[in-house]
């Protein structure tokens, strides 16, 4: 299998050099830059498999780079892990709302970041297997990694895709936020429960279509369910 392509965006020279070395040593194809504008150019030249993006960088800010990557059809599906010194909950939620799939707060251990990246790569590059799943008018093809509704292709981020797949494999079942965290992000995840609500909103927006109903049902004091 070809090496995973990673774009690393960090304006601390020492940290950039360290992470670049560590990821290359693990077999990743790394392109690194301290500049947000250059990061967008690198992504446009060759779509990466994953982006590690610092919030505070030179040129275009990390949050804006994240926003633009999500708006571009070619990179809308690419997982983004944000590095941030911002610990306030509202800042983390803002990052997730903008399109980040995960965040790591500084200071952090390089081993922790590498473990997060490895976990993401395991999810987005599984063996090609599985059958098409259909619930109501939504069809998910796990082999082609595509989702359609009434024959129209839907654009989902990687986390929303995993969330939808998890729901569609058990239609009608009510899942608590904790169960969704375990099933979609993995057991032992340190991601907060409120993160689930952020991605539920993003999933609803992605599958919304005029003349159709919202298949994601909020169950008060219990969680969420996916229904046809």
């Amino acid at each position: 299998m070809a090496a995973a392509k990673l774009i690393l965006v960090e304006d601390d020279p020492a940290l950039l050099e360290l992470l670049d070395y560590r990821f290359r040593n693990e077999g990743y194809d790394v392109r690194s830059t301290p500049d947000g504008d250059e990061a967008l150019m690198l992504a446009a030249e060759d779509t990466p498999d994953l982006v590690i993006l610092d919030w505070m960088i030179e040129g275009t800010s990390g949050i804006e780079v994240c926003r633009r990557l999500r708006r571009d059809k070619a990179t809308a599906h690419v997982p983004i892990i944000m590095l941030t010194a911002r610990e306030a909950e509202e800042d983390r939620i803002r990052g997730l709302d903008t399109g980040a799939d995960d965040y790591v707060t500084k200071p952090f251990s390089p081993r922790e970041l590498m473990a997060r990246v490895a976990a993401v790569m395991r999810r987005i590059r599984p063996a090609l297997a599985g059958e098409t799943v259909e619930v109501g008018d939504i069809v998910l093809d796990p082999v082609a990694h595509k989702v359609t509704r009434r024959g129209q292709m839907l654009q989902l981020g990687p986390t929303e895709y995993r969330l939808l797949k998890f729901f569609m494999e058990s239609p009608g079942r009510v899942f608590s936020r904790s169960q969704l965290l375990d099933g979609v992000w993995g057991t032992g995840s340190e991601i907060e429960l409120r993160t689930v609500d952020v991605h539920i909103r993003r999933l609803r927006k992605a599958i919304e279509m005029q003349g159709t109903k919202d298949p994601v049902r909020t169950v008060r004091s219990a969680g969420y369910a996916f229904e046809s």
Side-chain angles (χ1 to χ4, degrees):
M1 183 180 290
K5 295 180 290 187
L6 187 155
I7 292 179
L8 175 60
V9 193
E10 167 60 58
D11 69 349
D12 180 329
L15 181 57
L16 182 66
E17 183 179 0
L18 171 63
L19 294 178
D20 186 291
Y21 171 78
R22 294 290 294 269
F23 280 109
R24 286 182 189 278
N25 200 45
E26 289 294 317
Y28 290 89
D29 176 1
V30 184
R31 290 173 292 162
S32 58
T33 176
D35 185 89
D37 297 305
E38 186 177 1
L40 290 168
M41 289 176 57
L42 291 173
E45 289 170 359
D46 187 10
T47 304
D49 292 305
L50 186 139
V51 176
I52 298 175
L53 179 62
D54 189 18
W55 184 302
M56 303 296 290
I57 51 177
E58 300 171 11
T60 301
S61 70
I63 203 80
E64 180 60 24
V65 170
C66 181
R67 185 177 290 112
R68 293 186 191 180
L69 290 174
R70 282 289 169 260
R71 284 203 301 249
D72 188 330
K73 209 175 266 190
T75 54
H77 68 286
V78 175
I80 299 172
I81 297 178
M82 293 204 75
L83 308 179
T84 175
R86 297 169 178 259
E87 296 184 1
E89 182 180 29
E90 56 267 27
D91 287 327
R92 297 198 297 270
I93 295 299
R94 181 186 172 202
L96 291 167
D97 274 333
T98 302
D101 296 278
D102 199 358
Y103 58 84
V104 178
T105 303
K106 296 179 179 179
F108 60 85
S109 159
R111 288 182 61 190
E112 176 193 359
L113 176 60
M114 295 182 75
R116 297 272 190 106
V117 169
V120 170
M121 294 310 302
R122 282 195 299 271
R123 291 196 297 261
I124 68 172
R125 301 185 76 175
L128 293 178
E131 299 178 354
T132 297
V133 183
E134 185 171 350
V135 178
D137 56 5
I138 298 178
V139 179
L140 184 148
D141 184 340
V143 175
H145 209 80
K146 293 179 180 179
V147 180
T148 58
R149 187 170 196 181
R150 295 188 174 182
Q152 183 175 327
M153 190 76 66
L154 302 179
Q155 299 296 327
L156 277 74
T159 302
E160 286 68 53
Y161 175 86
R162 296 195 308 273
L163 183 58
L164 178 63
K165 184 173 184 289
F166 186 79
F167 271 136
M168 291 181 68
E169 287 172 345
S170 302
R173 178 179 171 183
V174 178
F175 291 100
S176 68
R177 289 171 177 80
S178 295
Q179 288 172 324
L180 290 171
L181 276 178
D182 288 346
V184 178
W185 283 266
T187 55
S189 170
E190 296 181 1
I191 294 176
E192 298 173 3
L193 289 177
R194 279 190 61 188
T195 300
V196 173
D197 299 324
V198 172
H199 287 287
I200 289 288
R201 289 199 301 271
R202 286 165 56 179
L203 173 61
R204 280 176 161 149
K205 185 175 181 180
I207 63 179
E208 182 182 48
M209 187 176 290
Q210 189 173 5
T212 63
K213 72 171 187 175
D214 180 5
V216 181
R217 180 168 65 95
T218 301
V219 183
R220 189 175 180 181
S221 301
Y224 298 97
F226 193 87
E227 300 175 341
S228 59

